[in-house]
């Protein structure tokens, strides 16, 4: 186990800056998720931590040592690739033992460790199979077992669940989190899926265009986004952002509900909501429509998420009075997009 | 107007008929193989069971007599042995060198294009012209290699490592002649093997190499445990080409030594040519040439089976 520090790290490919002055501190045993859209530089940052990519400027510290110029081998890190990168000509056993053989460990100990890793991920029966004979979920387990078998300082995962179907992804997420809690190895996990990020991470670093926009616990990042990018990236559907005077007003769809559902004493903002579209998702319903402020003539498109069991009748083409608790409103600067203190 | 419509329909139908179109497309290739390969092969089989010569149009069938004759012929046995030495030694060296070269060519460095150009050059030169160039370089009197050896003091003086004679007589000494023939042949087929292996190397997913480096594998472990096993299928194809090409090729031997000195570089293909065409003994020439056929067929089956067994995806 080790702590990881990323200090003013930048990476350029020619004139293009893909990672721009990133600073992140990851405590020992912490699970950090690098979250961002495709091409935001999260995988490049992970590859720099792994030693697969040179660092243009800045420093990466692992376990109190600068590792800028050390090879991946010397960093004692383990990585799970998006493609799993299992050696196709080797059996599952040979795949898992490969890192141990490189450490010149004796045969007895190798067998013991491989069996421990295989047992942990429930792949004991697959040890003699080749990767091509495994399902996507099994491959993913083998890849994680191979990464974990030599007890690395840091565990890096590059979108390891993206090749799994939705059902399997949910169970794999749960297993991964339980496993990380059990072994307590510092973990850095890259994903573009905010549900994964919310479910897995102790902390989330939200990235866009090479920059880190916010680092915080999943709750912090979701409830108090640092800027409009984070607000619009987190959540599905994302936070409603509407311009009002010199601010951008933000509120989550689940906090934007018919006025009857709120207690007026709590301090609420009301808006007239003209419903244009209604989607029943089973447990929830999404209500799309427009709101209009008295101070402005233009209409703003917003979404509301209502729990189906609340049993509220909404019809499209009609106008309703909806409201938001004042404490659930967020304000952002119109020019910079940064969060402002509440009015 | 109607005629144009019918014409268009006919043209469209003809172009849409996959069976007809594929038959038309494949016919030239089949005809080429039948005329240029099939016919001579049948003719050779025909001749090998006869007593045909170039001097007479009369011939009769004599069964397996030609095969019995050639097996008793010491030159044939020598040629057979030489063919194996020539093929196996050149293929082993080509396999090692092409692996090294493919890795050199796959790496990133300045001036890579000129290295690629130089390595691939022998393949672009006509085989006979290239070999004539080597014939001059291995000349018994004017060889530049001898000149370099003399200049370095390795040849032509009293205590010189390679002897006190002024020349090595590369093509005049049996062992040197064989070595020369093998080396020129390697020079000739190395580019093809290198290009095939380069294609194989570039098809190995980059992720695997990165995973190996993170798993702590050094250069040699990555090479022997990851790259080589993944390259075996394509290496088998390269080896297959090399084997067939070396077993059946006579240009290098014919241009450099004509099988000499004293048949020390004679291989089956050159012996078949000398016997069947130059000496006019068509029947024995055909029997010698056909001797390779079952052997090569076995080699091809063996290598293709190996390639199939080692395929990983």
């Amino acid at each position: 186990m080790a702590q990881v520090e990323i200090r003013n790290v930048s990476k350029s490919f020619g004139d293009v800056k893909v990672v721009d002055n990133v600073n992140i501190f990851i405590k020992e045993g912490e699970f950090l998720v690098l979250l961002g859209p495709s091409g935001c530089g999260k995988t490049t940052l992970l590859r720099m931590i792994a030693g697969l990519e040179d660092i243009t400027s800045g420093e990466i510290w692992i376990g109190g040592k600068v590792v800028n110029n050390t090879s991946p081998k010397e960093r004692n890190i383990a990585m799970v690739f998006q493609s799993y990168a299992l050696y196709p000509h080797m059996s599952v056993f040979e795949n898992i033992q490969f890192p141990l053989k490189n450490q010149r460990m004796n045969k007895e100990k190798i067998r013991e460790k491989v069996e421990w890793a295989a047992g942990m991920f429930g792949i004991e029966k697959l040890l003699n199979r080749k990767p091509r004979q495994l399902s996507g979920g099994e491959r993913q387990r083998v890849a994680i077992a191979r990464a974990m078998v030599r007890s690395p300082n840091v565990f890096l995962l590059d979108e390891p669940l993206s090749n799994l179907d939705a059902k399997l992804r949910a169970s794999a997420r749960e297993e991964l989190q339980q496993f990380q809690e059990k072994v307590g190895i510092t973990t850095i996990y890259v994903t573009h899926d905010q549900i994964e990020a919310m479910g897995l991470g102790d902390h989330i670093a939200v990235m866009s265009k090479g920059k880190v926009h916010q680092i915080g616990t999943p709750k912090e990042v979701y409830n108090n986004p640092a800027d409009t990018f984070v607000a619009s990236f987190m959540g599905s559907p994302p936070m409603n952002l509407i311009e009002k005077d010199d601010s951008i007003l933000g509120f989550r769809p689940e906090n934007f509900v018919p006025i009857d559902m709120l207690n007026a004493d709590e301090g609420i903002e009301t808006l007239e909501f003209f419903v244009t579209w209604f989607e029943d998702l089973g447990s929830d319903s999404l209500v799309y429509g427009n709101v209009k402020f008295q101070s402005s003539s233009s209409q703003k498109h917003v979404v509301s998420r209502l729990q189906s069991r609340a049993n509220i009748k909404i019809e499209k083409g009609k106008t309703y009075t909806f409201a938001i608790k004042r404490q659930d409103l967020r304000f952002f600067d119109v020019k910079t997009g940064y969060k402002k203190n509440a009015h | 107007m109607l005629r144009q419509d019918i014409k268009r329909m006919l043209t469209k139908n003809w172009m849409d008929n996959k069976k007809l179109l594929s038959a038309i497309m494949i016919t030239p290739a089949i005809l080429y193989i039948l005329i240029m390969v099939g016919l001579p092969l049948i003719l050779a089989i025909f001749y090998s069971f006869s007593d045909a010569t170039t001097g007479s149009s009369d011939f009769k069938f004599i069964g397996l007599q030609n095969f019995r004759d050639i097996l008793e012929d010491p030159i044939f046995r020598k040629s057979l042995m030489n063919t194996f030495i020539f093929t196996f030694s050149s293929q082993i060296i080509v396999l090692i060198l092409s692996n090294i070269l493919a890795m050199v060519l796959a790496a990133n460095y300045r001036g890579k294009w000129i290295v690629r150009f130089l390595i691939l050059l022998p393949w672009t030169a006509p085989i006979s012209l290239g070999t004539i160039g080597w014939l001059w370089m291995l000349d018994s009197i004017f060889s530049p290699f001898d000149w370099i050896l003399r200049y370095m003091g390795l040849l032509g003086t009293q205590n010189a490592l390679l002897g006190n004679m002024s020349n090595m007589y590369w093509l005049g000494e049996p062992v040197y002649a064989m070595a020369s023939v093998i080396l020129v042949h390697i020079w000739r087929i190395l580019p093809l093997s290198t290009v095939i292996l380069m294609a194989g190397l570039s098809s190995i997913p980059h992720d695997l190499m990165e995973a190996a480096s993170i798993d702590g594998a050094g250069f040699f472990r990555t090479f022997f445990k990851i790259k080589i096993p993944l390259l075996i299928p394509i290496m088998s194809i390269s080896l297959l080409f090399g084997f067939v090409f070396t077993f059946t090729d006579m240009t290098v031997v014919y241009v450099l030594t004509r099988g000499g000195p004293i048949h020390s570089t004679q291989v089956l293909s050159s012996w078949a040519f000398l016997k069947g065409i130059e000496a006019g003994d068509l029947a024995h020439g055909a029997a010698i040439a056909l001797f390779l056929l079952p052997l090569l067929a076995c080699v091809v089956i063996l290598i293709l089976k190996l390639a199939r067994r080692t395929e990983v995806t």
Side-chain angles (χ1 to χ4, degrees):
Chain A
M1 273 202 293
Q3 63 184 35
V4 179
E5 272 184 86
I6 297 158
R7 292 187 189 167
N8 306 316
V9 165
S10 296
K11 172 76 185 176
S12 302
F13 290 111
D15 294 335
V16 186
K17 211 166 195 179
V18 288
V19 174
D20 190 0
N21 201 28
V22 166
N23 286 284
I24 303 175
F25 177 77
I26 305 141
K27 281 188 300 193
E28 261 185 42
E30 185 180 326
F31 196 126
L32 177 94
V33 178
L34 292 174
L35 173 71
S38 299
C40 72
K42 56 191 189 301
T43 296
T44 308
L45 183 61
L46 192 81
R47 289 170 58 81
M48 285 196 281
I49 299 168
L52 297 173
E53 210 78 66
D54 290 336
I55 300 163
T56 308
S57 65
E59 282 175 347
I60 291 178
W61 293 64
I62 296 177
K65 282 182 198 155
V66 182
V67 293
N68 284 30
N69 297 316
T70 51
S71 66
K73 187 179 167 182
E74 290 161 317
R75 296 184 189 198
N76 192 24
I77 38 119
M79 184 162 168
V80 176
F81 291 80
Q82 191 172 5
S83 64
Y84 308 138
L86 297 177
Y87 309 121
H89 56 294
M90 294 184 191
S91 67
V92 169
F93 185 91
E94 288 165 332
N95 261 285
I96 301 175
Q97 74 165 354
F98 190 71
L100 303 177
K101 277 215 153 185
N102 293 329
Q103 292 178 341
R104 297 175 195 282
M105 202 176 268
N106 69 50
K107 270 190 178 175
E108 274 298 299
K109 198 143 190 221
I110 286 180
R111 175 157 286 279
E112 197 180 292
K113 282 222 158 202
V114 171
E115 279 166 4
W116 164 79
M120 190 164 262
F121 292 96
I123 48 171
E124 307 98 317
K125 286 182 182 160
L126 308 175
L127 287 175
N128 293 321
R129 290 209 203 155
K130 290 273 170 72
R132 67 168 184 273
Q133 298 166 311
L134 304 177
S135 69
E138 289 166 341
R139 283 180 202 188
Q140 180 243 346
R141 283 152 187 259
V142 175
I144 298 177
R146 182 179 70 184
M148 297 312 304
V149 73
R150 63 195 166 113
S151 313
N153 279 335
V154 185
F155 192 26
L156 308 174
L157 298 113
D158 185 9
E159 309 211 19
L161 308 184
S162 61
N163 292 329
L164 305 182
D165 60 52
K167 199 177 162 193
L168 204 55
R169 205 180 299 175
S171 61
R173 207 162 56 214
E174 188 190 341
E175 278 176 23
L176 198 63
Q177 197 178 32
Q178 283 175 359
F179 167 75
Q180 200 271 343
E181 264 179 28
K182 203 191 289 180
V183 294
I185 293 174
T186 314
T187 303
I188 304 173
Y189 186 104
V190 160
T191 184
H192 65 269
D193 183 340
Q194 36 117 356
I195 299 171
E196 251 173 61
M198 292 289 293
L200 283 170
D202 294 329
H203 285 94
I204 299 176
V206 186
M207 288 183 73
S208 168
K209 293 177 184 165
K211 288 189 173 173
V212 171
H213 284 244
Q214 187 174 6
I215 304 175
T217 62
K219 258 206 169 122
E220 279 167 1
V221 174
Y222 186 79
N223 291 331
N224 291 305
D227 57 23
T228 47
F229 170 77
V230 180
S232 59
F233 191 73
M234 299 298 290
S236 175
M239 187 177 260
N240 292 305
L241 295 170
I242 46 181
E243 221 177 293
K244 187 188 175 201
D245 307 328
D246 60 341
S247 291
I248 294 172
L249 205 61
F251 50 92
R252 291 277 172 205
E254 60 272 24
N255 296 331
F256 184 53
V257 291
I259 189 160
D260 319 340
M261 291 177 68
L262 296 177
N263 183 354
D265 301 340
E266 286 183 79
I268 56 170
E269 281 291 331
T270 56
L271 289 167
E272 290 304 303
F273 185 37
F274 176 71
V275 176
T276 56
W277 184 250
F278 183 85
E279 255 178 9
D280 190 350
L281 302 178
S283 63
D284 294 325
S285 301
L286 295 180
V287 188
Y288 299 86
N290 298 318
V291 292
K292 205 166 88 174
F293 288 108
Q294 286 169 339
S295 55
S296 141
S297 58
S298 65
Q299 291 192 331
K300 313 285 179 189
H301 193 71
V302 295
V303 187
S304 159
R305 181 196 283 271
L306 302 174
Q307 284 191 337
S308 295
R309 61 177 177 182
N311 225 359
I312 301 154
K313 286 239 163 14
I314 301 277
E315 286 174 42
K316 60 181 177 181
K318 287 192 175 174
T319 302
Y320 298 88
T321 306
F322 268 51
I324 318 136
K325 282 185 202 166
R326 283 210 184 95
Q327 67 187 51
D328 292 331
L329 279 174
R330 301 290 174 263
F331 298 90
F332 302 95
D333 190 280
V334 172
K335 280 183 191 154
T336 60
Y338 292 144
K339 187 184 158 197
K340 296 205 295 195
N341 289 328
H343 285 218
Chain B
M1 191 68 189
L2 186 68
R3 190 180 292 171
Q4 268 185 346
D5 279 347
I6 292 169
K7 200 177 169 189
R8 198 180 305 141
M9 261 173 66
L10 279 175
T11 324
K12 195 168 179 270
N13 283 345
W14 174 75
M15 291 297 278
D16 282 347
N17 189 337
K18 276 188 184 172
K19 277 189 179 169
L20 183 69
L21 207 60
S22 53
I24 292 171
M25 295 281 188
I26 200 90
T27 305
I30 291 175
L31 275 179
Y32 173 83
I33 292 170
L34 282 179
I35 296 168
M36 306 301 284
V37 182
L39 206 63
L41 183 69
I42 291 167
L43 215 58
I45 295 169
F46 194 67
Y47 283 153
S48 68
F49 295 105
S50 74
D51 64 351
T53 62
T54 51
S56 162
S57 57
D58 293 334
F59 63 89
K60 61 176 186 299
F61 288 101
I62 54 168
L64 292 169
Q65 188 55 44
N66 289 326
F67 291 96
R68 275 194 287 272
D69 290 347
I70 59 164
L71 282 172
E72 280 166 16
D73 178 8
I75 301 172
F76 171 81
R77 290 208 291 265
K78 174 99 180 144
S79 305
L80 187 63
M81 190 65 190
N82 285 343
T83 306
F84 280 104
I85 294 173
F86 181 50
T87 305
F88 280 96
S89 50
S90 61
Q91 283 317 299
I92 289 167
I93 298 172
V94 163
L95 201 62
I96 295 167
L97 290 182
S98 60
N99 264 299
I100 296 170
L101 278 180
M103 285 214 297
V104 169
L105 294 186
N108 276 326
Y109 50 89
R110 274 167 74 96
K112 183 168 147 177
W113 72 270
I114 190 117
V115 179
R116 277 192 177 191
F117 174 73
L118 287 174
I119 289 172
L120 299 182
L121 199 59
W123 194 250
T124 60
I127 183 162
S128 46
L129 280 184
T131 316
I132 289 171
W134 280 102
L135 183 66
W136 292 337
M137 287 203 280
L138 298 167
D139 188 84
S140 58
I141 298 169
F142 304 109
S143 167
F145 299 123
D146 290 350
W147 185 87
I148 291 167
L149 290 174
R150 281 198 298 271
Y151 186 80
M152 290 169 76
L154 296 170
L155 185 71
T157 55
Q158 199 59 45
N159 299 319
L161 189 70
L162 295 169
N164 60 1
M165 66 282 192
S166 60
N167 291 83
M168 290 292 290
Y169 308 109
W170 295 104
L171 303 174
E173 292 280 339
V175 175
Y176 294 156
M178 189 47 132
S180 303
V181 166
I182 290 170
L183 285 176
V184 172
H185 189 68
I186 289 169
W187 170 83
R188 165 74 190 152
I189 61 168
L190 190 58
L192 176 69
S193 188
T194 305
V195 170
I196 293 174
L197 284 185
M198 256 171 70
L201 270 181
S202 61
S203 70
I204 298 177
H206 199 57
D207 275 2
L208 291 185
M209 297 301 123
E210 292 185 338
S213 76
I214 283 180
D215 284 343
F219 174 81
F220 287 105
R221 240 184 112 65
T222 306
F223 183 71
F224 287 109
K225 295 286 173 185
I226 311 284
K227 280 188 184 169
I228 291 281
L230 290 176
L231 276 179
I232 283 179
I234 201 129
M235 229 187 265
S236 315
I237 300 297
S238 154
L239 208 60
L240 178 73
F241 272 112
F243 263 109
V244 175
F245 198 69
T246 314
F247 260 120
T248 55
D249 185 61
M250 57 162 275
T251 319
V252 172
V253 169
Y254 189 75
V255 172
L256 285 186
T257 63
R258 298 205 169 215
I262 348 162
H263 299 294
S264 59
T265 57
Q266 201 72 269
V267 287
L268 286 187
S269 50
S270 65
W271 185 229
F273 179 77
L274 290 173
K275 190 99 172 159
I277 307 297
E278 299 214 331
D281 186 355
L282 280 178
H284 281 106
I288 295 166
L290 278 179
F291 195 84
L292 285 175
L293 195 67
L295 198 79
L296 276 179
C298 290
V299 172
V300 169
I301 291 167
L302 201 79
I303 294 179
L304 285 179
K305 275 201 163 176
L306 175 76
R308 204 168 162 69
R309 220 182 53 196
T310 48
E311 265 175 14
V312 286
T313 45

